[in-house]
């Protein structure tokens, strides 16, 4: 009986993790191309000004895209967004 209980608990945990990953994938799929670019640079440690320079846009525009990324991904903080990117195995942007 203990083995069966343990197997059920493991199965529930695995299903919960898969549901979380699916929610992250859905959020990431809702991002525009530019929002994905901004996300990749932000989670790689670039500052808003650096992201703007890299993408050829203003810092204000970057802040707007970053805010949309945070809302769509349902991230409460930059640290949350970085963890989400890691769970999705997203590549980091190279530092120059």
């Amino acid at each position: 009986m203990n083995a069966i209980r343990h197997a059920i608990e493991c199965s529930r945990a695995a299903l919960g993790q898969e549901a979380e990953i699916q929610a992250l994938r859905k959020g990431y799929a809702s991002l525009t191309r530019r929002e994905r670019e901004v996300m990749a640079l932000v989670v790689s440690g670039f500052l808003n000004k650096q992201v703007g320079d890299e993408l050829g846009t203003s810092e204000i525009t970057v802040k707007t895209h970053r805010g949309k990324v945070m809302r769509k991904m349902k991230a409460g903080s930059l640290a949350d967004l970085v963890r989400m990117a890691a769970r999705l195995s997203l590549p980091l942007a190279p530092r120059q």
Side-chain angles (χ1 to χ4, degrees):
M1 289 302 279
N2 286 336
I4 293 172
R5 281 190 200 105
H6 180 69
I8 290 171
E9 289 172 17
C10 288
S11 177
R12 282 187 186 144
L15 288 172
Q17 290 177 358
E18 183 59 31
E20 289 175 16
I21 292 291
Q22 288 299 329
L24 290 176
R25 287 182 184 143
K26 183 178 179 182
Y28 188 73
S30 74
L31 301 178
T32 65
R33 180 185 58 80
R34 181 60 85 172
E35 289 166 351
R36 289 178 187 190
E37 292 170 341
V38 168
M39 180 177 170
L41 292 167
V42 167
V43 299
S44 296
F46 285 73
L47 302 173
N48 289 341
K49 183 170 177 42
Q50 294 169 318
V51 173
D53 290 344
E54 185 75 21
L55 299 177
T57 189
S58 73
E59 186 175 353
I60 298 296
T61 301
V62 170
K63 287 179 182 179
T64 301
H65 288 304
R66 184 175 172 164
K68 289 180 181 178
V69 168
M70 297 294 284
R71 278 190 298 282
K72 288 180 180 181
M73 293 299 295
K74 297 181 176 132
S77 67
L78 176 58
D80 288 341
L81 191 64
V82 170
R83 281 190 286 274
M84 290 173 181
R87 291 199 65 201
L88 290 169
S89 301
L90 299 179
L92 296 178
R95 298 291 297 197
Q96 298 165 345

